[in-house]
Amino acid sequence: MVSSALVTSFLLAASASASPTKRGTGAIKCPVVLNGFVPADMTPTDFDSYATSPFNPDYIRGSEKFSQILQFPTTVGSSRFDNASTVPVEVTINDKSIFQTQNGFRRAGLQIQGDTNTGGPGTTGVRTLHFSVKQDPARTLNLTHEYLNVWHEASDYSSNQFNFQTGTIIGSSGTDKSNFKVLNRQNSQVWSTPVDATAWQNFAITLDFSKNTLQVYYSKNDEPLKAVTSAVYNNNSGGGQYQIGILKKPTGTSDVVNSGYQEKGISEGQIYGGIFLEDSANGCVSL
């Protein structure tokens, strides 16, 4: 079993070298700030310990431990920035996925170790969050609901600097429910693309905390990432942490945190790969 600390050390050393580190078909060319890669020799129980998990073992989950929540998909191949040394991981939710007293949500998510709510390394300078997603045909999302998949939550929990989500956004017609959508801090859509049922979909979101801008990059499977937006204004103030997983909102309520309808027998998942945050000073973005 390879510890997450060793993987982090490897990535940081490699990013400082003259040649890019090759991971799958994607090359990491910028310094890695937060490492969410999952070593290939991890076991489920490794996710339950600070010593062996790349993620916080206590957040964000209900009563079940991450060894019960996270799955290792074996037939999906590698995402763009994964290779034989790292593997994808699937975040799943079920009827027990209730975090604290948030009875309206069904929720489970990953917080990369080292990402702190205040004064953390993820909220200074220019940072790019990378992640790839793939769909599990055995654990499909119910797109009549609104889902938050990846977001950055301010330290006072009152707002998110950005949201990456899918499904039927509450209050909308749902005509774009089968799209992934990137929303800014004002919950206005910046960009969207259809959810692909079979392909790896690769995303990178650059936040400039000095200039208050947001920029989105995208590709499929092994293709290099390309900018799909310019650097648009976004209020990135307020600190906070990156959240990666599934937050399924209820329907039929104005109090989504505490009440509303969630069907029984939920068994849903989202596969993630190639999770890392890099330093994008001087325009550096791994493509």
Side-chain angles (χ1 to χ4, degrees):
M1 191 261 322
V2 180
S3 73
S4 59
L6 288 177
V7 175
T8 301
S9 298
F10 167 76
L11 288 171
L12 290 173
S15 65
S17 66
S19 60
T21 302
K22 196 71 177 175
R23 303 186 62 83
T25 58
I28 300 173
K29 64 179 184 178
C30 316
V32 174
V33 178
L34 294 171
N35 164 35
F37 286 105
V38 176
D41 60 355
M42 279 194 72
T43 65
T45 55
D46 287 336
F47 289 111
D48 297 333
S49 169
Y50 283 97
T52 52
S53 178
F55 311 109
N56 187 326
D58 297 322
Y59 293 95
I60 301 291
R61 60 181 177 83
S63 59
E64 295 179 307
K65 294 183 176 181
F66 277 115
S67 56
Q68 300 168 282
I69 296 167
L70 300 180
Q71 303 290 324
F72 290 116
T74 58
T75 60
V76 298
S78 295
S79 69
R80 178 160 175 74
F81 289 100
D82 279 311
N83 64 13
S85 69
T86 60
V87 293
V89 66
E90 183 171 6
V91 178
T92 69
I93 58 170
N94 57 45
D95 295 350
K96 298 178 181 179
S97 303
I98 299 173
F99 174 62
Q100 296 181 344
T101 59
Q102 297 177 354
N103 292 306
F105 297 152
R106 298 297 176 266
R107 180 179 183 184
L110 308 173
Q111 291 182 344
I112 305 173
Q113 280 209 50
D115 187 15
T116 56
N117 193 41
T118 57
T123 55
T124 185
V126 187
R127 300 292 190 245
T128 298
L129 179 68
H130 286 262
F131 58 95
S132 298
V133 298
K134 205 169 194 296
Q135 305 313 305
D136 182 348
R139 296 186 180 92
T140 57
L141 306 179
N142 178 355
L143 298 180
T144 63
H145 288 253
E146 177 179 344
Y147 291 83
L148 288 179
N149 300 83
V150 180
W151 67 102
H152 191 277
E153 186 174 28
S155 62
D156 64 0
Y157 311 113
S158 66
S159 62
N160 301 332
Q161 284 89 341
F162 76 86
N163 296 326
F164 171 82
Q165 55 190 110
T166 191
T168 303
I169 294 179
I170 292 172
S172 74
S173 64
T175 56
D176 63 349
K177 67 181 182 181
S178 297
N179 285 2
F180 282 124
K181 299 168 274 282
V182 178
L183 308 184
N184 64 15
R185 191 167 191 154
Q186 288 71 44
N187 291 319
S188 297
Q189 183 171 297
V190 174
W191 181 77
S192 71
T193 191
V195 176
D196 192 306
T198 59
W200 274 107
Q201 294 180 270
N202 313 305
F203 300 88
I205 297 176
T206 298
L207 298 175
D208 188 324
F209 290 93
S210 299
K211 295 182 179 179
N212 278 315
T213 61
L214 174 154
Q215 187 168 14
V216 182
Y217 297 79
Y218 174 71
S219 72
K220 283 188 182 182
N221 292 321
D222 296 334
E223 293 298 316
L225 290 160
K226 295 181 179 179
V228 290
T229 73
S230 60
V232 299
Y233 173 77
N234 192 59
N235 180 0
N236 295 327
S237 65
Q241 293 168 291
Y242 297 90
Q243 310 277 350
I244 302 160
I246 301 176
L247 188 157
K248 181 182 183 180
K249 294 184 180 181
T251 60
T253 181
S254 59
D255 183 8
V256 295
V257 176
N258 299 303
S259 64
Y261 174 74
Q262 296 276 8
E263 64 272 23
K264 300 297 183 184
I266 293 172
S267 178
E268 301 176 11
Q270 179 68 80
I271 301 168
Y272 287 94
I275 302 170
F276 65 101
L277 184 77
E278 65 185 359
D279 184 350
S280 289
N282 301 316
C284 187
V285 176
S286 298
L287 302 176

